[in-house]
Amino acid sequence: MSKAKKTVKVITIDIEKCNGCRACEVICSSYHAEPKYSSNNPARSRIRVIRDPLKNIFLPVYAGEYTPAECMGRNKYIIDGREYSECDFCRASCPSRDAFKEPDSGLPLKCDMCEDDPTLEEPLCVQWCLADALVYEEREEEAEEEPKQEDMEIGLRALADKYGLKELVSAVARMAQKE
Amino acid sequence: MRYAEAGYNLEVDLSRGSIERVETDPKLTELHLGGLGTNSKLLWDRVPPEVEPFSPDNLLIFSTGLLVGTPAVGANRTIVSTISPQTLFMAYSMMGGFWAAELKHAGYDKVIIRGKSPDLVYLWINNDKVEIRDASHLQGKGALETADLITAELNDPKAQVAAIGLAGENKVYFASIEQGRSSASRQGIGAVMGSKGLKAIAVRGTKDVFVARPAEFIELCNDVLKYIRFREENPIPGVMPILAGLGSPQEMAVYDEKWHTASFAWGNARVRRRNFWTEEIEEKWTNEQKEAVERLISCYNCPLECGAVIDYPVLGISKYMMKCFSKLTYTMAALTDSLSFGFDIAGRAQEYGIDGFSAPQVMAFAVELKEAGILTDEDFKGCPSDKEGRFYWLLERIVRREGIGDILANGTYWAAKQIGNGAEEFAHNNIKKHEQVPIKLGMLNPIYYLMYSTGEKINITQIEGQFPQAPFPTRKEREDFVKDWFQVPDEKFKEYFVNWEPRGEYSMPYYPGIEACCEIVDWMERMHYIDDSLGVCAGLSSFPLKPPYHIHNYPKFVSAGTGIDIDEEGLTKIANRNRNLTRAVNIRRGMRRADEKPPENHWRRRFPELEKELLDAYYKFKGWNKEGIPTKEYLHELDLAYVSEDFERRGILKNEQS
Ligand code: SF4
Ligand code: SF4
């Protein structure tokens, strides 16, 4: 594989600044609606604010890769005396919880940094976070080039994991027949 | 396809245990928008004036505003409406927080509760699945504690819970409904919830809320955010810190309390402590507040951080969330110098679920009655003698309705009647039987006179607004202020303000003139009625100086959000319709001109002649007759002919008179 320059997009999350407003969830779900901004539904957002005010937990987490299986072991974090539950920091769309899944289909969600044409100045969650708990920066890095797994493939994988590959194949065959 | 709204209400009859999902008539949205507007319509249609507040036939309506669930910044209000046990008129109290958006996403605009459950229950709304569940194990539990227990038992930390505490269960006339960082606390709606045997409503929703014209709508939202940023960077010069920015008064972030402590009355709304705010107090209070406030927090989709998590372990209370002015109400009513006391008792009171405005005044009223010998040692048996101890003792009695607490739990007006023996004189800070912010001032303010007298919310903080409360000292300052004052509905408001002098010919009470006062009050009120139907927080709109929402961008929000095309005039008409329908509910329950007055001693200098002229003029301006009843012509103009017919049938409006 060849070496190439790539842009790494970084969002720094300052959990002490987060006020728990969930504006980031609102704008994310709205932006990713089809057509754009036509609907709002934080349950579809690719950022989730884990919010437990009386435990002083205000934790925005971004959706990362889909995973078919849950972790073998779990970890609790205690930071500044606050105990975070086992899965709080995890970015995965995973069978053990309902976060980062489309509410109806269960298909996995993943933060795409609001990729758009023309490119946005900053991801929208960052723009809408007036508390500056989310701060965006870009930097250049050298990286291995990797073929990008297509979105469709990720979706299919999830469906196969949920219903079994055989079920999926016969469902696709049935659909093809009806077309 | 319905935009901005869900198009469904949830009808729950607790007597029969029935739950129905009912589609709403889109025509009603065009006529009333949503929130308070459609709540008033329901109360008008379904709660006749004979229905007592605690009757199973009274409705308790939890409504989202029309824009709640869209990305409109700060559109997060739940508007709770019912008939108040205290005023016997329509009560509507709003709460921010996260509950309303969750309900909209569950697919409902309102939850309408009727009937009465024989046993304590709670309601669990999980999208289409709705159940009435046993709450006997939650009896007597605190409001926040209840929310915790319910989310744990449902195993859904994302469920939002609105609950009552012990005070609501015991039908204290100033019991609140609490919801995390927010509460709907005025006029005893928590008591109505208690009377229905309903401990809490938990809700979780994961459905889409649509807007009609997405690109336009989001641009409007972005403009609002941009203006909020601008206002954060450019506080209004020359006013005290809590008036300089946006949001509900920033009580959790601001340490400087010189203005409140000097201008508001202490004790039973009696004494002014003009020199209270010393360097020493400032240092002490600042430290206490820093100690208590763990983090500033916002409501759903709003950047303004008006609330705070309070963590003050030395007090021996558990953590809670505070907003707004309850920080000072208990301390000032108890006449102590301790802010910690305020944080402490407010936390306890919130678990019990009582109103942070009324409760401290009821307690101060009791203390005064005791000092005057009208309440006796027997009534106070076992009560400590120190200022703070007395308040704690009274709190425990009131929420349990024990001993003297049983009488005090009815609020100062009804308690004074029951106690007799001259006690009425001590219930002196009420409007329409409801305790008001304790302010006692010198010179009559004609604008506030009208707001106090006629506001249907019966609560000054929900009538007043963006027209400055007093003139700025110099003409130069006033001219500077109006320069970028684009929120005014008409240029003439700038002129009224520029010419308004602290002293001399152009000062209160005769300036602003009567006509100008009517226009100013009407503008303030119109904005509140729009907010309350859209569910936008007053802290971003009708309440602060130079807000991001105003009469010029609201019609665009409604049009792009709902697809109902509307202009300023159309929106104003809806606001007037809602305002008059709300009033009609109260007129039918007997409200008349005689009820419309501020507390006797609100100002030292009163002008009965002028006040009469003001009220006459305002009634006329509003299309009401001399008794404050909307006229037939005006009701017809507002498409409320059915109201005037009802008024005529009941003899409230005579045929010939209208
Ligand atoms: S927008 Fe910012 S402050 Fe609000 S919840 Fe998201 S990260 Fe926290
Ligand atoms: S302005 Fe304050 S009270 Fe209003 S919604 Fe925003 S945070 Fe809540």
Side-chain angles (χ1 to χ4, degrees), chain A residues 14-27 29-31 34-44 48-49 51-58 82 84 98-99 103-104 122 124 126-132, chain B residues 3 69-73 98 102 105 144 148 156-158 160 181 204-215 217-218 221-222 225 228-229 232 294-305 309-310 319-321:
Chain A
D14 184 342
I15 59 172
E16 296 309 327
K17 285 189 179 152
C18 176
N19 61 38
C21 70
R22 299 172 61 195
C24 46
E25 295 181 7
V26 170
I27 195 60
S29 72
S30 180
Y31 172 76
E34 202 46 65
K36 236 176 234 168
Y37 303 119
S38 60
S39 68
N40 170 42
N41 185 358
R44 288 187 204 282
R48 293 297 156 86
V49 183
R51 185 181 173 281
D52 193 343
L54 298 183
K55 299 205 175 90
N56 199 12
I57 288 175
F58 293 79
R82 288 170 242 168
Y84 291 87
D98 69 355
D104 340 291
E122 286 180 329
L124 279 157
V126 174
Q127 292 187 33
W128 274 50
C129 180
L130 264 50
D132 293 334
Chain B
Y3 296 107
T70 73
V73 180
F98 295 79
E102 206 66 39
H105 286 297
L144 288 175
D148 255 3
D156 195 338
K158 291 205 189 77
Q160 300 293 338
R181 72 167 297 299
R204 172 81 178 121
T206 58
K207 297 188 190 182
D208 298 337
V209 174
F210 300 93
V211 295
R213 300 203 288 271
F217 193 82
I218 211 73
C221 297
N222 281 322
L225 278 181
I228 291 174
R229 240 196 237 277
E232 273 177 356
E294 182 172 69
R295 181 190 298 253
L296 298 180
I297 53 175
S298 272
C299 300
Y300 179 77
N301 194 21
C302 177
L304 284 171
E305 306 182 347
V309 177
I310 304 297
K319 283 198 196 189
Y320 69 103
M321 287 166 265

Side-chain angles (χ1 to χ4, degrees), chain B residues 193-476:
Chain B
M193 188 154 162
S195 80
K196 297 200 169 301
L198 183 63
K199 179 71 178 172
I201 306 181
V203 56
R204 172 81 178 121
T206 58
K207 297 188 190 182
D208 298 337
V209 174
F210 300 93
V211 295
R213 300 203 288 271
E216 212 179 305
F217 193 82
I218 211 73
E219 201 181 311
L220 290 163
C221 297
N222 281 322
D223 287 346
V224 160
L225 278 181
K226 217 158 78 199
Y227 187 69
I228 291 174
R229 240 196 237 277
F230 168 80
R231 287 281 280 100
E232 273 177 356
E233 285 154 13
N234 299 276
I236 304 220
V239 296
M240 45 264 184
I242 62 151
L243 296 182
L246 296 170
S248 297
Q250 294 288 318
E251 283 299 309
M252 297 297 103
V254 167
Y255 300 108
D256 181 352
E257 290 294 357
K258 182 172 173 9
W259 182 66
H260 275 134
T261 55
S263 349
F264 283 36
W266 295 61
N268 183 24
R270 297 282 191 193
V271 256
R272 295 272 295 273
R273 297 174 79 185
R274 286 173 212 272
N275 303 318
F276 172 77
W277 195 252
T278 58
E279 248 169 59
E280 196 187 324
I281 286 286
E282 177 162 15
E283 197 191 316
K284 182 166 167 280
W285 279 28
T286 303
N287 288 337
E288 286 176 319
Q289 189 169 329
K290 282 189 175 151
E291 187 88 17
V293 171
E294 182 172 69
R295 181 190 298 253
L296 298 180
I297 53 175
S298 272
C299 300
Y300 179 77
N301 194 21
C302 177
L304 284 171
E305 306 182 347
C306 306
V309 177
I310 304 297
D311 182 19
Y312 214 166
V314 289
L315 301 176
I317 51 166
S318 37
K319 283 198 196 189
Y320 69 103
M321 287 166 265
M322 178 184 258
K323 58 265 151 187
C324 212
F325 194 52
S326 48
K327 173 181 127 189
L328 293 188
T329 51
Y330 288 97
T331 293
M332 289 179 69
L335 275 163
T336 86
D337 295 355
S338 162
L339 188 62
S340 297
F341 164 73
F343 280 118
D344 184 15
I345 193 165
R348 294 170 202 269
Q350 207 175 91
E351 279 289 14
Y352 288 136
I354 51 171
D355 176 18
F357 277 105
S358 284
Q361 283 191 54
V362 172
M363 295 172 189
F365 158 84
V367 167
E368 245 190 18
L369 286 179
K370 167 80 173 23
E371 279 160 3
I374 297 174
L375 287 178
T376 61
D377 285 343
E378 191 51 35
D379 294 322
F380 276 74
K381 206 164 150 201
C383 177
S385 58
D386 65 298
K387 290 173 177 165
E388 298 173 11
R390 284 192 302 218
F391 263 48
Y392 287 121
W393 186 85
L394 283 164
L395 175 66
E396 300 296 325
R397 297 288 143 330
I398 289 169
V399 298
R400 291 187 176 74
R401 282 192 171 271
E402 272 171 15
I404 190 66
D406 190 27
I407 293 172
L408 295 171
N410 295 340
T412 57
Y413 174 86
W414 297 106
K417 275 202 160 349
Q418 275 171 276
I419 295 164
N421 212 359
E424 272 107 334
E425 297 289 303
F426 294 77
H428 67 102
N429 195 40
N430 298 336
I431 300 176
K432 296 167 185 151
K433 310 184 178 63
H434 187 48
E435 294 81 12
Q436 300 297 315
V437 179
I439 309 177
K440 300 294 157 197
L441 301 167
M443 173 57 80
L444 172 83
N445 177 328
I447 302 170
Y448 274 71
Y449 168 77
L450 286 179
M451 292 199 273
Y452 273 116
S453 299
T454 62
E456 223 80 44
K457 177 82 193 282
I458 318 183
N459 184 3
I460 189 62
T461 53
Q462 295 292 339
I463 312 167
E464 63 185 343
Q466 52 203 299
F467 197 86
Q469 302 186 354
F472 295 177
T474 66
R475 192 177 181 91
K476 170 87 176 53

